[in-house]
């Protein structure tokens, strides 16, 4: 029997890392945050493993006593070890066998290889910074470019932290950074700037020659090849990769619509393949709503009351956005709020 203080430590350690952690974090437990915070309960997992090991020890001791003389010593221990190790290996092999997984590498190489010589690139997300930084700084891919992130931005010999700056302050800093060197500037997100915007699909380019509010879609054969690859593959099984895949499809939808420069079909089934997902439809609905006119009925067609479509959401914010657009469209179309909005929220 374990001493009481050890039992109390194991129980309190387990509860302290779960219940207290949940209260402190206070985040929405959606797909994105499940992936982001899944490392936090590691202490609880370790303490739970200790409890399992103690229970298994008692069971093995009982079996050794009960079947003494009939089963060779150590046989139960060897059998239990084989079942635990073998079962764990078989259960997790499909998820951990990543020898042919090139998702992050293909994305990173596409971005780096599509940039012009001497470009500067600003990344502001783990799914962007990780693969690009590894390929660029560790493997030496595209040594001619300068890659910076939201954690550190050097301007005129001074290192700044964009994450810690207010939007207006950051915009002023970015203007200085863009004008500091006569080199092309590209970025993904979290990069407030007053210049014209060129949309390359996977990222945007700063255009200092055009009118500040102008926007254009730029063809890139390398990025178009990447988007064609997305058209032919299923949703990745890894959670982070599936989230990134959905975001890339939204980028592809935006880029495809920009290149088409034409009207969009009112029927959701006739939308471009890249726009069929929830993320693409949300972006389209935002653009259509901003133009005014008879947008409500079209948005209701694009965003039906469909749980399968809503299940594609990667964050609670997307769920809220979905119901908000439906409520607005329902109000505009019939004068009554969307009945599903209250239930879904």
């Amino acid at each position: 029997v374990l001493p009481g203080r050890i039992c109390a430590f194991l129980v309190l350690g387990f509860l302290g890392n779960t219940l207290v952690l949940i209260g402190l974090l206070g985040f929405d437990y959606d797909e994105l945050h499940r992936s982001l915070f899944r490392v936090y309960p590691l202490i609880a997992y370790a303490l739970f493993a200790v409890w399992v090991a103690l229970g298994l020890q008692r069971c093995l001791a009982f079996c050794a006593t009960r079947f003494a003389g009939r089963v060779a010593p150590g046989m139960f221990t060897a059998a239990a070890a084989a079942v635990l190790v073998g079962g764990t290996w078989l259960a997790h092999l499909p998820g951990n066998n990543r020898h042919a997984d090139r998702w992050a590498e293909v994305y990173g190489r596409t971005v780096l290889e599509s940039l012009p010589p001497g470009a500067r690139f600003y990344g502001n997300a783990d799914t962007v910074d990780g693969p690009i930084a590894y390929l660029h700084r560790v493997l030496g891919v595209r040594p001619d470019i300068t890659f910076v992130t939201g954690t550190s931005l050097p301007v005129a010999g001074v290192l700044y932290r964009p994450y810690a700056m207010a939007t207006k302050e950051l915009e002023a800093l970015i203007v200085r950074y863009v004008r500091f060197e006569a080199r092309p500037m590209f970025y993904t997100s979290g990069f407030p700037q007053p210049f014209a915007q060129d949309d390359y699909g996977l990222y945007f380019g700063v255009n200092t020659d055009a009118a500040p509010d102008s926007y254009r879609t730029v063809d890139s054969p390398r990025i178009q090849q990447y988007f064609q690859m997305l058209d032919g593959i299923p949703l990745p099984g890894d959670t982070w990769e599936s989230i990134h895949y959905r975001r890339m499809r939204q980028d592809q939808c935006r880029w495809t619509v920009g290149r088409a420069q034409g009207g969009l079909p009112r029927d959701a089934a006739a939308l471009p393949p890249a726009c069929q997902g929830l993320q693409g439809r949300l972006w389209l609905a935002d653009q259509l709503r901003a133009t005014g006119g008879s947008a409500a009925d079209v948005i209701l067609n694009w965003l039906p009351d469909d749980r399968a479509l809503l299940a594609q959401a990667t964050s609670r914010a997307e769920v809220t956005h979905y119901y908000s657009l439906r409520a607005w469209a329902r109000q505009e179309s019939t004068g009554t709020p969307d009945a599903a909005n209250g239930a879904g929220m």
Side-chain angles (χ1 to χ4, degrees):
V1 179
L2 288 176
R5 64 179 183 276
I6 296 181
C7 291
F9 167 78
L10 293 174
V11 173
L12 292 176
F14 180 84
L15 295 178
N17 190 245
T18 51
L19 301 179
V20 177
L21 179 63
I22 292 174
L24 289 176
L25 291 177
F27 58 84
D28 289 321
Y29 205 58
D30 49 34
E31 183 179 13
L32 174 63
H33 288 89
R34 284 198 302 271
S35 300
L36 190 62
F37 291 108
R38 63 184 174 185
V39 298
Y40 278 60
L42 287 179
I43 297 177
Y45 295 157
L47 293 175
F48 180 74
V50 172
W51 281 112
V52 172
L54 292 172
L56 182 61
Q57 180 190 35
R58 303 297 295 180
C59 291
L60 291 175
F62 171 80
C63 291
T65 303
R66 178 70 175 81
F67 299 97
R70 287 181 287 176
V71 178
M75 183 62 69
F76 286 112
T77 301
V83 170
L84 285 175
V85 174
T88 302
W89 186 79
L90 290 175
H92 296 282
L93 178 62
N96 292 328
N97 183 13
R98 309 288 288 273
H99 72 281
D101 191 340
R102 296 291 184 269
W103 176 266
E105 180 183 2
V106 171
Y107 166 75
R109 287 189 181 276
T110 299
V111 171
L112 290 171
E113 292 172 0
S114 63
L115 293 170
R120 293 172 293 171
F121 188 86
Y122 179 89
N124 194 35
D126 290 343
T127 51
V128 176
D129 301 348
I132 294 177
Y134 182 81
L135 288 168
H136 175 61
R137 295 172 181 168
V138 179
L139 299 185
V141 178
R142 292 300 305 272
D144 59 300
I145 74 163
T146 299
F147 176 62
V148 294
T149 69
T151 58
S152 59
L153 181 64
V155 181
V158 180
L159 190 63
Y160 296 89
R161 292 179 59 83
Y163 281 142
M165 304 176 71
T167 302
K168 291 295 183 182
E169 183 184 11
L170 177 58
E171 182 175 330
L173 177 66
I174 286 174
V175 170
R176 290 177 53 201
Y177 182 68
V178 170
R179 290 176 172 166
F180 182 70
E181 294 182 84
R183 298 166 58 194
M185 183 75 223
F186 302 89
Y187 62 94
T188 52
S189 62
F191 195 79
Q193 51 92 10
F195 305 104
Q197 190 178 61
D198 290 343
D199 187 351
Y200 288 82
L202 292 182
Y203 50 78
F204 299 96
V206 174
N207 188 340
T208 57
D209 297 326
D213 295 332
S214 64
Y215 172 93
R216 66 174 182 174
T217 302
V218 180
D219 284 339
S220 171
R222 185 69 179 84
I223 293 177
Q224 184 174 7
Q225 181 184 12
Y226 177 80
F227 283 148
Q228 290 173 347
M229 182 270 294
L230 292 185
D231 288 334
I233 64 173
L235 180 71
D238 179 78
T239 304
W240 273 116
E241 291 182 2
S242 67
I243 293 174
H244 189 236
Y245 171 87
R246 296 188 192 280
R247 301 291 170 85
M248 293 300 97
R249 294 293 273 179
Q250 183 183 50
D251 289 345
Q252 182 183 4
C253 173
R254 184 194 67 243
W255 188 69
T256 301
V257 171
R259 293 175 69 229
Q261 297 181 348
L264 291 169
R266 299 175 63 90
D267 185 6
L271 289 171
C275 301
Q276 290 289 345
L278 175 65
Q279 289 71 26
R281 296 189 188 203
L282 290 175
W283 180 84
L284 288 175
D286 282 336
Q287 306 309 305
L288 186 60
R289 181 181 177 181
T291 62
S294 56
D297 291 337
V298 180
I299 290 177
L300 287 174
N301 182 273
W302 288 350
L303 299 175
D305 186 12
D306 184 357
R307 291 189 177 275
L309 178 65
L310 190 58
Q312 299 177 20
T314 60
S315 68
R316 183 65 177 177
E318 290 179 350
V319 176
T320 303
H321 194 188
Y322 165 86
Y323 282 116
S324 175
L325 285 170
R326 277 192 54 85
W328 174 85
R330 183 78 174 182
Q331 183 73 32
E332 292 290 315
S333 179
T334 65
T336 60
D338 188 359
N341 185 31
M345 294 294 289

